Amino acid sequence: MNLPNKLTLFRVILIPFFVLFMLVDITAYDKWIALAIFIIASLTDLLDGKIARKYNLVTNFGKFMDPLADKLLVCSALICLVALTKIPAWIVIIIIAREFIISGFRLIASDNGVVIAASYWGKFKTTFQMVMICLMIADIEAISLITTVVMWIALILTIVSLVDYLIKNKDVMKDTK
């Protein structure tokens, strides 16, 4: 259990606390506590990968759990935001559907001995989704237009990254047996 794997597990452990502060009225500062937890969890995502690659600490556990932890965090946040009517459900469905499609593609590729690296489109998508979630949690009226613009950019990048991924990896779906 190396440091990157501990950071990944820490991110997973933070998710229920994040959801609790998002959905349960505990204090007058719930949304700010939830935002802080989300930012910390997001930063562990950034750190665990950098540390694992820099110090050659990449493990099978990390390869499996890191993307799963990311999806759990983002999907939990988006579902909470739907429950709070901060984002339309259809946008969240597109975002989550993209994650399922990509995960399925990666599973098939892995089965064929092919590793599919993340693309720049996917990294931009993730960045905009994280910023969008932070802005929606903060829910600051003075920047609501910016929040809306970031939401649309995140949605467009979600679709573009999916199309790019499918085109670049279309051979994965060919039956070679």
Side-chain angles (χ1 to χ4, degrees), residues 11-55:
R11 183 162 64 256
V12 172
I13 291 166
L14 286 176
I15 294 169
F17 295 100
F18 166 75
V19 170
L20 179 72
F21 283 102
M22 281 292 288
L23 299 179
V24 179
D25 193 17
I26 299 170
T27 74
Y29 305 103
D30 291 339
K31 78 175 182 181
W32 300 112
I33 295 169
L35 179 59
I37 293 170
F38 185 82
I39 290 169
I40 290 166
S42 297
L43 290 174
T44 67
D45 179 31
L46 185 67
L47 279 175
D48 65 10
K50 286 189 183 297
I51 293 169
R53 285 185 296 278
K54 182 174 181 178
Y55 296 104

Side-chain angles (χ1 to χ4, degrees), residues 78-141:
L78 291 171
I79 292 166
C80 288
L81 290 167
V82 168
L84 297 169
T85 66
K86 304 284 184 200
I87 188 171
W90 67 269
I91 291 176
V92 172
I93 290 167
I94 290 171
I95 292 170
I96 292 174
R98 183 245 184 232
E99 298 307 323
F100 274 101
I101 292 166
I102 299 299
S103 293
F105 248 71
R106 283 206 165 112
L107 186 61
I108 292 168
S110 173
D111 217 25
N112 293 324
V114 177
V115 176
I116 302 173
S119 72
Y120 286 107
W121 286 112
K123 292 176 192 265
F124 293 142
K125 178 255 334 164
T126 300
T127 300
F128 271 88
Q129 283 180 0
M130 297 292 194
V131 171
M132 173 192 75
I133 290 166
C134 289
L135 290 171
M136 288 182 171
I137 294 169
D139 194 23
I140 300 169
E141 184 62 35

Side-chain angles (χ1 to χ4, degrees), residues 87-88 91 132 136 146-156:
I87 188 171
I91 291 176
M132 173 192 75
M136 288 182 171
I146 292 169
T147 303
T148 301
V149 169
V150 170
M151 178 191 71
W152 285 107
I153 292 170
L155 178 62
I156 291 165

Side-chain angles (χ1 to χ4, degrees), residues 2-5 48 51-60 62:
N2 60 34
L3 180 58
N5 291 342
D48 65 10
I51 293 169
R53 285 185 296 278
K54 182 174 181 178
Y55 296 104
N56 196 25
L57 297 172
V58 176
T59 64
N60 286 334

